Amino acid sequence: MIKRFLFSFLLVLGCGFLSFAQQKEISGTVSGDDGTPLAGATITVKGSKIATSTGSNGTFKINLPGKSDIIVISFTNYISKEIVVGNLTTFNISLKPAAAELENVVVTVLGFQEKADKFGTASSKIGAPEVVRSGETGLLQGMAGKASGVSITRSTGDPGAGANIRIRGANTITGASEPLIILDGVPISNSEIHGNGSSSTGTGVVQQSRLNDINANDIESIQVLKGASASALWGSRAANGVLVITTKKGKAGGLNISFSSSYSVDEINRKHPMQQIFGQGSAGRYSAIATNSWGDKISERTGGEDVVSGTAYFQGYQTGNKYYAVAPGTAANVHGGKNSKNTFADKNFDAVFGKGHFWQNSLSLSGGNDKSKFFLGLENLSQSGIMRANSNYIRNSVRFNSDHNFGKYIKFSNKAAFINVKSDRIQNNSNTAGLYLGLLRTAPDFDNSDYIGSYFDANGVEFRNRHRSYRRYLGDNVQPTFNNPLWTIFNQTANSNVNRFLLSSEVTSNPFPWLDLILRSGIDASNDGRVYFFPVGSAGERSVGSYRNEKIGEIEKNIDLIARATSALSEDLKGTLIVGANANDRRREILYAEAKNFLDNINLQNFILSSDANTNVINSLLHRSSNRGYTTANLEYKDQLFVNVSGALEAASTISNNFFYPSADVAWQFSKLPAFKNEKFLSFGKIRLAWGKVGVQPTAYNFVTTYETGVYNAYDEGLATTNFGGGYRLDNVKGNNNLKPEVKTEWEVGTDLRFLNNKLSLSMSYYQNKTTDILLNVGLPPSSGFTSQYSNAANMENKGFEADLKYDLVKKKDLNLQVFSNFSRNRNKVISLSGTGTIDLTSQSVSSRAVEGYQLGVLWGPRALRDDKGNFILDANGFPNVDNEQGVIGDPNPDWRGGAGFSASYKSLDFNILFETAQGGDISQGTKSVLYNFGTHEDVGKEITLTETLKNVNGVSFPAGTKVRGNIGNYGKGNVLLDEAWYTSRGAGLGAAAIREFFIGDASWTRLREVSLGYTLSTPSFKKATKFSSMRFSLTGRNLFLWTDIVGFDPEVNQSGVNNGFGQEYFTNPSTRSWLFTVKLNF
Amino acid sequence: MKKIFIIAVLASLMVSCSKVYEGQNVDPNNPTSVNAETLLRGIELANITVQVSHIQRITGMWMGQYKGAALLYKSLGEYSISGEESNDTWTYIYQSIAKQASVIREKLPSNKSYSGITKIIEANALGTAAALYGDIPFSERANDAFPVPKFDKQVDVYAGIQKLLDEAIVDLTPVSASAVISNDIFFAGKSTTWLRIAYTLKARYFMETRDYAKAYAAALNGINALTLSWKFFPPALVADGDFNLLNTLIDQRGGYLATAGSYMHENLLKAAAVGNRNNTKTNEDARLKYYKITGTAASTELGVAAKNAPMPLVTYEENLLILAEAGLRTVGFAEGLLQLNKLRAVLKSNLGLAAAPATGGTILYEPYVAADFNPGGIENKGSLTADKALMKEIIEERYVSLYGTIIPFNDARRLRKTENDVNVPIPFTTPTATQHPERVIYAQNEINANPNTPKPLPDLYLKTQVNQ
């Protein structure tokens, strides 16, 4: 710092002295470090406006005013170089690619760049090109598999769906589990807000992660700060790690223009196998109104037209076909009036799902001189999902970053972006108006084509716009019970329109050579307008129509004042001291209104549809503030030993008192010891040790018990006080005015090693952390008058190991081969919940929970009754019973995760491949369990001929030789027949009555996360012919192969979206794989 | 320079100040204090949910009055039940009713109407809990002094409930009959009506503890007119949140619950069934139709599951049938017959509904005479004594008339011990069952958080104390 200051100071003086000297012409060539000439590189004369650029062969000529002696050579994506001209007149200048340099730089939590080798804590850097290359439209998803200790879990494959990011396991139980995102020095929101119109586990659509608003093409680097020590300065918001994202800066030189365009084709990557052997009905008899498909054997029907009866009918608007009542089967004729042998499972599926695609165009311009630089990034992304309608994601963003030096002492940097995201979403999950639920429950012999039409009753009265589903084949009732999936995608809408403004501006002044003063402020303001529309006739309580309009406004303001002083205390000892103060304010306002019970069955999306009594408004405000004073001191001894000590004192509106977060780390480059001086094998070695404390803030407004309006609902019915003249009830959560932050204390030890002249690098870390005072709604016995109290009650620990390995197999001018891999393993343990039995993280009949002694998120639900030895306690017929007490039935936490890849480039060709794996870990297969019950799953569509006499769960005997529909099972007392009686009682289904542990599956997976092949045209002849400096074509495959034992869906989904709970799938919208073609042009 | 640093460090640390946020963490979205009167509607709605929702339906399935047709309800009907099913009901009993009632009484110490009414509702909720679960927290309930309330013996709970009702009677007796409380959605605070309900409830709980003489005595002061029955009349003005709860369930979970295939409908009410209840003086056709639940489409339900069909909490019919049964036991045959005939007179008049039910059907309930119960009489096909035959009819009448409440479940368990011969012979809902449920499993949320929950956890077939 001092040197730099002195240098520029001298330069200014020098310029003054030399101003009367003569002009002089110099020339030379500019090339990359591999020797390829760089066309279009800019050469400027420092301190003047004189500039030129290199020609197609990389050569340049420039006249130097006599006073000047320094030229600056810059080129996009390369590190600029300053050269003192001296007496020379010709130069061969080689520039290093920017990425190579960045690898060794760490951006600290305060936004300063430091040499990674001086760092005492583990951090992973994810390069922007890798994220862009992934073919993901979301930044978060694009980070998957690229760094150890970072796990990304998608919610679904829907366009724009959010993803959960977890660094080094879970650090809180019910608190915020997302890492803090620092964009250009200021925190921004990555919230996934469900709001009032949609829920996270049940009836709803997937929401977005706000981090995905950011255009990956604008990003320079993503730094993942994993440990407590690295992030302690952010106190109570840093317990889940910190992502430090830096956007691009303009580079001095001529105007650089880069344009890229990608087109992607997406398709569903896993389908649930469905049976098409047996029809709608039960007990082997056809019934057109049956819930299940345990009906007659379709192939045994007579064929031809169905025998219909009655005068009432439904006429579909799609085909014009009329549907009359079909008589159910009887003992004498199990088919009833049903003659048709047609099945529709595939047709029904293909009517809903097709190919998705997106088109992404990105343009960036950058340029400037040594005083002012700018970067302009524009993006348009337009994606349509694999559902044939109303599933899309459209993102437009503009970013303008600029830097300006005002004289010698003041620098100004401003980074601003405006983003608009529009999206249409499809209802999913445990939702009778959801897509998969209606589709996969549909009987195989039911054609969904006519989903809307008119019902004419026996008197000929017409009811228009009736919803026809397999449970209401005549549309004779406004309530379809389950949606026809075509209604779900065509007639219901759920859109979101986000406008977001991001600003980070920074003024740096250095009044003394040893001191920098930085004033940094930021704003993240977003507005999300969501509209959900369920026309009259949508399933569930929405059958009377529901129009929901929600406005979510979020604004985060942040300001930091930082002083940074550097001093050489002696020749061997250097020190830096940073002192800072921060104030942060977050405010979220939600205004929600719902109109239901439409006056008319029309599609106008407006509150005029309902009377006042049927309009309901909710508003809420969430306002949190905090301030911190912080300091950090670094000491460097002999450029070998680095010690860093920090502390932050924080006050926040959600806690009662101040809280202090200390941290310390040490890095020792032992390879600089004299003993290693001639060491050939080991090129670099560092040992690091770090310790720190970070926290999680309590949620707001928990100091006192409040009153709420009551809705009383014991099972899907409800009585609301608001409908009876209003009234309140004392909240069942007891207030607590003595809240502290959750505190995570972590230590880690690690090493960074490089071998064989830096070709092979290996980084390993072991960490242990313990989070104490974890906040949760501690269950109170309802008989005490409250059901819970939000308190600092639980303790949890994580122990883990991570490693990153990279090996440059070949590094030559024309050929580069590199392999890389990462590995992480985390063991979590919920140590204590202070007597509260378990904590629900999700609210389904199989829930993800915190249970003492287990890893966070274990799956809890109905299990089979067992004796002390763990054997089933069977009933008289040899079948397991349901245990009245539920328990842990699975653990969704993987044993380990890893990523491995290979990249190669040969001349203009480059190739990348990345595999990712998660091994161990369970998932609750809710869909499968229910489809077994409904009789639509392939597994329960089998007909077997018994070779022995078997009993079913009801004790009915089936003699050998009988042909029965079902499977043979054995729970320890010999073979038993698993038939309709079993699958529709304890054997499958939902709720607490089915033994759900039988549907816990091993969610281990390995996937070909991405593979890409690129070709770059930058030959002189090409440049001459086209005037482009380069053109690149690439083809990327995303998620092409998946190896897993799970059948029917990609285990990398999460029913509850971005949530602390995971490991559940229940009619969750499916995942995708894609092919992506990209052209990139540089001017 | 060091000094400057130290000063700067201290200055920055002092910036961190919690005082600036004082008052910011007060919830802007929910009130931190309200007038206690506004809690009453919530208590009343919670009690409706406790009495005639999920748990009632489960016991109704066990009693052969409904049939669990699909999915969860099918399993619940077949006696597969866990503590999760009780969570909400249990929470409503203690948090939404007992706790709020205590807040009201604490904040309105001199308002006798609120005191009396909340005690009656609380007694009703806790009485249901005692009947369903046996030993329950009572003496230490909803009281900050007892973070983990103990479980009181079922008989002590019943005694406590009687005391609570006595207190309610003391509170309400001096209150003018014309005093109006608009927050009371049932009777607008009419003290005389609430007093009658308090007495019928006393009678109900004396029946459960087999104090038949006390039950009879209390019932004499109980509900004495149809219009005084305590029922939930759903306004059904908006789409959800104010409908008949069966109707909402059917709307949400079509196909789960029906009456087709249930014992009461197939065996007792259908004219074609062997041993059905019809005779020369009785035709159950109208009740068969009114009680029918198709279960698949809410809007087609016209009977008990119609969107605005009333749901019974404590009724005139129940009071009459208490008088009938307890009267037969403690006064004599004539009293039993007299009260039964009063009930039949009620049925004769539109089944006791305000108007003839939309479901239609023949109504015939002529008064019985003593001879009808003699061996060979129309109500005594076998050779029972007249007293037994009358008892059998009264019990069966209770079973049918009190459809939609948990009373049939309570009766079945009460009589199973010593008088199973007069009990309604309900079949098992699943062929593999060997015994009938004797209770409901404690709420899982209570089990989780209260170490005083009985251990080992009583299973479904363990009789509660009063039925042992």
Side-chain angles (χ1 to χ4, degrees), chain A residues 98-108 112-116 122-131 143 145-148 150 219-226 242-246 763 804 806 822:
Chain A
E101 173 69 15
L102 270 167
E103 275 177 17
N104 298 321
V105 172
V106 170
V107 185
T108 67
F112 296 116
Q113 296 205 345
E114 301 280 359
K115 283 262 160 53
S123 71
S124 289
K125 173 160 239 150
I126 298 175
E130 297 166 44
V131 175
M143 289 163 57
K146 298 189 172 80
S148 66
V150 181
I219 290 175
E220 183 81 51
S221 71
I222 301 168
Q223 188 77 49
V224 185
L225 303 177
K226 302 171 187 174
V242 179
L243 292 185
V244 180
I245 302 176
T246 311
S763 170
D804 289 271
K806 202 172 71 180
N822 60 66

Side-chain angles (χ1 to χ4, degrees), chain A residues 564-634:
Chain A
R564 184 182 196 231
T566 315
S567 165
L569 301 170
S570 73
E571 199 180 321
D572 288 335
L573 192 63
K574 281 184 261 176
T576 305
L577 180 76
I578 295 171
V579 178
N582 166 279
N584 182 280
D585 187 89
R586 287 179 287 166
R587 198 178 164 91
R588 176 192 297 169
E589 276 181 271
I590 299 182
L591 179 61
Y592 170 78
E594 181 188 10
K596 54 194 176 189
N597 229 354
F598 294 167
L599 299 166
D600 192 10
N601 183 2
I602 54 172
N603 286 341
L604 178 72
Q605 302 193 357
N606 191 287
F607 289 105
I608 200 169
L609 279 173
S610 299
S611 66
D612 289 355
N614 288 296
T615 306
N616 170 35
V617 178
I618 301 171
N619 67 328
S620 65
L621 167 69
L622 175 62
H623 183 201
R624 289 163 292 176
S625 309
S626 65
N627 63 52
R628 284 176 299 126
Y630 51 86
T631 180
T632 170
N634 303 295

Side-chain angles (χ1 to χ4, degrees), chain A residues 472 713 716-717 726 783 884, chain B residues 41 53 81 92 142 253 296 446:
Chain A
R472 288 277 185 275
N713 177 11
D716 266 12
E717 10 77 328
S783 64
N884 282 333
Chain B
R41 286 197 186 103
S53 174
I81 184 170
Y92 294 159
R253 302 269 175 183
T296 48
E446 186 77 22

Side-chain angles (χ1 to χ4, degrees), chain A residues 108-416:
Chain A
T108 67
V109 74
L110 290 180
F112 296 116
Q113 296 205 345
E114 301 280 359
K115 283 262 160 53
D117 291 345
K118 296 180 177 180
F119 232 53
T121 58
S123 71
S124 289
K125 173 160 239 150
I126 298 175
E130 297 166 44
V131 175
V132 171
R133 194 178 60 210
S134 70
E136 298 279 1
T137 56
L139 183 61
L140 265 173
Q141 283 87 340
M143 289 163 57
K146 298 189 172 80
S148 66
V150 181
S151 111
I152 312 274
T153 312
R154 282 134 221 272
S155 26
T156 73
D158 285 12
N164 193 51
I165 171 166
R166 196 172 260 191
I167 298 172
R168 286 186 174 172
N171 296 295
T172 179
I173 294 176
T174 59
S177 61
E178 292 275 293
L180 175 68
I181 316 278
I182 304 285
L183 179 75
D184 295 322
V186 299
I188 62 160
S189 163
N190 182 36
S191 49
E192 190 224 37
I193 302 166
H194 279 276
N196 303 287
S198 177
S199 84
S200 64
T201 50
T203 57
V205 296
V206 291
Q207 303 294 352
Q208 299 156 3
S209 294
R210 287 272 71 88
L211 182 57
N212 284 346
D213 294 343
I214 293 162
N215 175 8
N217 288 292
D218 290 348
I219 290 175
E220 183 81 51
S221 71
I222 301 168
Q223 188 77 49
V224 185
L225 303 177
K226 302 171 187 174
S229 177
S231 45
L233 289 182
W234 268 100
S236 69
R237 289 178 68 185
N240 301 301
V242 179
L243 292 185
V244 180
I245 302 176
T246 311
T247 59
K248 285 176 181 164
K249 274 186 168 185
K251 299 215 163 56
L255 182 66
N256 281 301
I257 304 174
S258 171
F259 174 74
S260 94
S261 184
S262 299
Y263 186 79
S264 159
V265 178
D266 315 317
E267 61 182 13
I268 189 167
N269 77 333
R270 278 289 190 274
K271 291 182 189 179
H272 291 278
M274 310 296 284
Q275 67 93 4
Q276 303 204 54
I277 313 291
F278 296 92
Q280 191 174 1
S282 60
R285 294 185 198 175
Y286 174 77
S287 165
I289 56 164
T291 309
N292 295 348
S293 294
W294 288 98
D296 57 329
K297 195 171 178 187
I298 294 169
S299 64
E300 289 173 356
R301 292 176 186 163
T302 59
E305 293 292 308
D306 297 339
V307 178
V308 297
S309 58
T311 52
Y313 66 94
F314 178 91
Q315 185 162 27
Y317 296 158
Q318 283 69 42
T319 65
N321 288 346
K322 291 180 181 177
Y323 303 87
Y324 288 87
V326 178
T330 58
N333 171 16
V334 294
H335 310 295
K338 192 74 183 171
N339 293 335
S340 168
K341 293 185 179 185
N342 293 336
T343 57
F344 304 94
D346 294 333
K347 183 185 172 192
N348 288 340
F349 195 90
D350 294 338
V352 175
F353 291 106
K355 292 250 191 302
H357 50 86
F358 71 75
W359 198 15
Q360 183 175 26
N361 291 301
S362 165
L363 177 70
S364 62
L365 291 90
S366 119
N369 54 36
D370 59 336
K371 274 195 175 145
S372 289
K373 297 172 196 120
F374 81 97
F375 170 85
L376 175 70
L378 298 164
E379 186 205 25
N380 165 262
L381 167 76
S382 182
Q383 180 177 18
S384 302
I386 53 173
M387 284 76 112
R388 292 190 186 272
N390 286 322
S391 171
N392 56 52
Y393 179 74
I394 298 157
R395 184 175 66 210
N396 286 294
S397 77
V398 53
R399 166 169 289 278
F400 187 76
N401 291 352
S402 62
D403 295 274
H404 195 80
N405 296 350
F406 290 99
K408 290 172 291 189
Y409 302 123
I410 294 192
K411 278 193 289 184
F412 180 70
S413 158
N414 199 46
K415 293 180 164 186

Side-chain angles (χ1 to χ4, degrees), chain A residues 913-953:
Chain A
I913 189 164
L914 173 66
F915 291 91
E916 194 186 353
T917 188
Q919 291 299 316
D922 298 322
I923 192 161
S924 165
Q925 306 171 87
T927 306
K928 185 167 155 181
S929 167
V930 166
L931 297 187
Y932 275 26
N933 185 295
F934 276 70
T936 58
H937 198 277
E938 188 180 71
D939 295 354
V940 297
K942 294 171 187 155
E943 199 172 33
I944 50 172
T945 306
L946 299 182
T947 54
E948 57 185 318
T949 299
L950 293 181
K951 274 187 181 173
N952 76 0
V953 68

Side-chain angles (χ1 to χ4, degrees), chain B residues 284-410:
Chain B
E284 294 282 16
D285 184 44
R287 278 212 281 196
L288 173 71
K289 291 182 167 122
Y290 181 69
Y291 285 167
K292 181 180 171 186
I293 299 171
T294 312
T296 48
S299 60
T300 60
E301 299 289 348
L302 297 173
V304 284
K307 66 181 182 181
N308 57 356
M311 305 188 80
L313 300 175
V314 184
T315 58
Y316 178 47
E317 290 91 328
E318 181 182 355
N319 200 69
L320 287 174
L321 287 164
I322 292 169
L323 288 172
E325 186 190 338
L328 170 62
R329 290 179 189 279
T330 60
V331 183
F333 182 92
E335 177 63 9
L337 181 59
L338 175 76
Q339 300 294 348
L340 177 65
N341 279 333
K342 278 193 195 170
L343 186 271
R344 290 174 67 83
V346 167
L347 293 175
K348 196 175 168 183
S349 162
N350 297 327
L351 304 181
L353 300 166
T359 41
T362 312
I363 296 178
L364 177 69
Y365 298 96
E366 292 305 321
Y368 284 129
V369 295
D372 295 337
F373 298 93
N374 290 333
I378 58 170
E379 276 296 315
N380 192 352
K381 296 278 161 55
S383 55
L384 295 174
T385 63
D387 274 19
K388 269 275 189 238
L390 178 59
M391 182 61 78
K392 201 165 181 220
E393 169 57 17
I394 290 171
I395 298 302
E396 198 172 86
E397 186 55 59
R398 285 174 64 88
Y399 174 79
V400 179
S401 272
L402 304 181
Y403 176 73
T405 72
I406 64 161
I407 304 301
F409 180 54
N410 298 349

Side-chain angles (χ1 to χ4, degrees), chain A residues 471-472 477 479 541 621 625-627 649 701 707 713 716-718 723-726 728 730 782-783 785 884 993, chain B residues 16-17 21 24-25 29 31 38 41 53 57 75 81 92 94-95 100 142 240-241 251-254 296-297 299 446:
Chain A
R471 302 275 305 267
R472 288 277 185 275
N477 190 286
Q479 172 62 266
E541 81 279 4
L621 167 69
S625 309
S626 65
N627 63 52
L649 185 69
Y701 314 139
Y707 289 83
N713 177 11
D716 266 12
E717 10 77 328
N723 293 334
F724 291 83
Y728 297 103
L730 190 64
S783 64
N884 282 333
Chain B
S16 160
C17 173
Y21 302 125
Q24 193 184 313
N25 207 33
N29 307 309
T38 59
R41 286 197 186 103
S53 174
R57 293 191 292 259
S75 309
I81 184 170
Y92 294 159
Y94 287 102
Q95 201 276 327
Q100 318 294 316
D240 54 55
D251 196 39
Q252 294 290 309
R253 302 269 175 183
T296 48
S299 60
E446 186 77 22

Side-chain angles (χ1 to χ4, degrees), chain B residues 144-270:
Chain B
D144 284 349
F146 302 106
V148 282
K150 68 174 189 196
F151 280 59
D152 296 294
K153 287 283 160 214
Q154 193 187 18
V155 290
D156 298 335
V157 176
Y158 276 123
I161 288 167
Q162 293 290 358
K163 196 164 156 264
L164 197 59
L165 288 166
D166 289 338
E167 284 173 27
I169 290 165
V170 170
D171 284 338
L172 288 170
T173 305
V175 175
S176 156
S178 57
V180 171
I181 293 177
S182 62
N183 286 313
D184 171 14
I185 65 169
F186 296 112
F187 304 112
K190 195 169 177 63
S191 57
T192 47
T193 308
W194 279 111
L195 277 168
R196 297 228 161 254
I197 287 163
Y199 280 109
T200 303
L201 277 176
K202 282 181 68 72
R204 174 191 286 188
Y205 299 128
F206 282 132
M207 292 294 285
E208 284 166 26
T209 50
R210 297 187 184 77
D211 278 328
Y212 297 117
K214 285 182 183 165
Y216 180 78
L220 288 176
N221 293 318
I223 301 169
N224 61 355
L226 267 175
T227 51
L228 302 185
S229 283
W230 188 13
K231 288 184 180 181
F232 166 49
F233 290 93
L237 291 175
V238 294
D240 54 55
D242 71 343
F243 273 37
N244 173 295
L245 298 179
L246 284 166
N247 189 273
T248 316
L249 175 85
I250 294 162
D251 196 39
Q252 294 290 309
R253 302 269 175 183
Y256 272 46
L257 189 78
T259 48
S262 70
Y263 172 78
M264 184 173 98
H265 291 256
E266 305 296 342
N267 300 52
L268 292 187
L269 300 183
K270 270 192 184 162

